[in-house]
Amino acid sequence: IMRIPKINLSFKTYSDADLLTKANHIASSIAANPAVFASPVPPLPDLQAAIATYSADLIAAASLGRVNVATKNQSRDVLIEVLVQLGRYVTFVAAGDENILIMSGYTLAKEPQPRHLENPGTVTLSNGNTSGAMISFVKRGNANSYLHEIADTLPADSTTWTKFPSINSQFTFTSLTPGKQYWVRVAAIGYRNQVAYSTVATQFAQ
């Protein structure tokens, strides 16, 4: 799957000073590329006005007066809203072009990295408390769910496994034929349907 680059439109984690720096950087970057960003929405003067108001309120709030801090917080919210709206315009203009996104001064959003799915390793089989019951178990890794699979013939490429989905790494097969040999394997299912299989184990049902 091809990754479509995006920009980060969340500014809540920015400190007040960092937000002001970032907003100024975006404003100057947009202004420096009029051929690419021909008709910004909101218009660039709106962003520059929001920056000027926020900057003044930030200085006034340094004294930590309750009213001044509340005013600064309000102008911060206004500035963030302008940045978010402008970011949507930038996203539209870029149409997936990473160079244009970088040119805008916004920060590229990081893609979440898929976790490496741990192999479930060896499957352990034991007989259940009732006739025809068999328990399969693998070590609990970082899988989201499991498929406990069983067959009553020696596994080959053409083997049809009977699959039992479970959120647990342990599962009890029931209604097996006592004295019959079964083969079992467990598939760990991870992020974006990653799959990793255990070894195959065999045991006679009791």
Side-chain angles (χ1 to χ4, degrees):
I1 299 174
M2 187 174 176
R3 182 180 73 88
I4 299 175
K6 298 177 181 178
I7 51 177
N8 184 8
L9 295 181
S10 176
F11 299 93
K12 294 188 183 300
T13 59
Y14 279 68
S15 69
D16 287 337
D18 287 345
L19 177 62
L20 184 60
T21 300
K22 187 64 176 177
N24 275 313
H25 177 61
I26 291 170
S28 60
S29 298
I30 297 290
N33 293 284
V36 178
F37 307 111
S39 304
V41 180
L44 204 51
D46 287 13
L47 174 57
Q48 291 163 336
I51 290 173
T53 300
Y54 178 60
S55 179
D57 290 345
L58 193 55
I59 294 169
S63 63
L64 298 180
R66 182 179 297 178
V67 174
N68 289 344
V69 170
T71 301
K72 180 267 296 180
N73 289 340
Q74 189 173 12
S75 60
R76 175 187 169 99
D77 291 341
V78 170
L79 175 57
I80 288 176
E81 181 58 31
V82 172
L83 289 172
V84 169
Q85 290 178 15
L86 185 60
R88 291 180 183 139
Y89 161 79
V90 167
T91 301
F92 174 76
V93 169
D97 188 322
E98 188 168 319
N99 289 330
I100 292 178
L101 294 177
I102 293 172
M103 205 181 293
S104 71
Y106 283 85
T107 303
L108 288 179
K110 292 181 180 178
E111 284 287 304
Q113 294 300 311
R115 295 181 304 171
H116 175 69
L117 180 63
E118 295 175 11
N119 190 294
T122 303
V123 57
T124 302
L125 298 179
S126 59
N127 292 314
N129 294 327
T130 57
S131 179
M134 186 184 295
I135 301 167
S136 72
F137 172 78
V138 291
K139 68 178 181 180
R140 179 94 204 179
N142 61 347
N144 295 329
S145 61
Y146 298 86
L147 280 178
H148 294 260
E149 306 182 3
I150 191 167
D152 59 4
T153 57
L154 183 66
D157 290 342
S158 59
T159 297
T160 300
W161 294 84
T162 304
K163 306 173 189 291
F164 295 89
S166 174
I167 60 170
N168 298 314
S169 60
Q170 179 174 308
F171 181 80
T172 302
F173 300 101
T174 57
S175 302
L176 304 180
T177 303
K180 188 174 181 65
Q181 187 176 12
Y182 291 90
W183 286 262
V184 173
R185 68 182 185 180
V186 180
I189 313 297
Y191 176 83
R192 289 188 178 175
N193 293 322
Q194 289 175 300
V195 179
Y197 275 98
S198 72
T199 55
V200 175
T202 185
Q203 184 156 308
F204 288 88
Q206 298 294 312

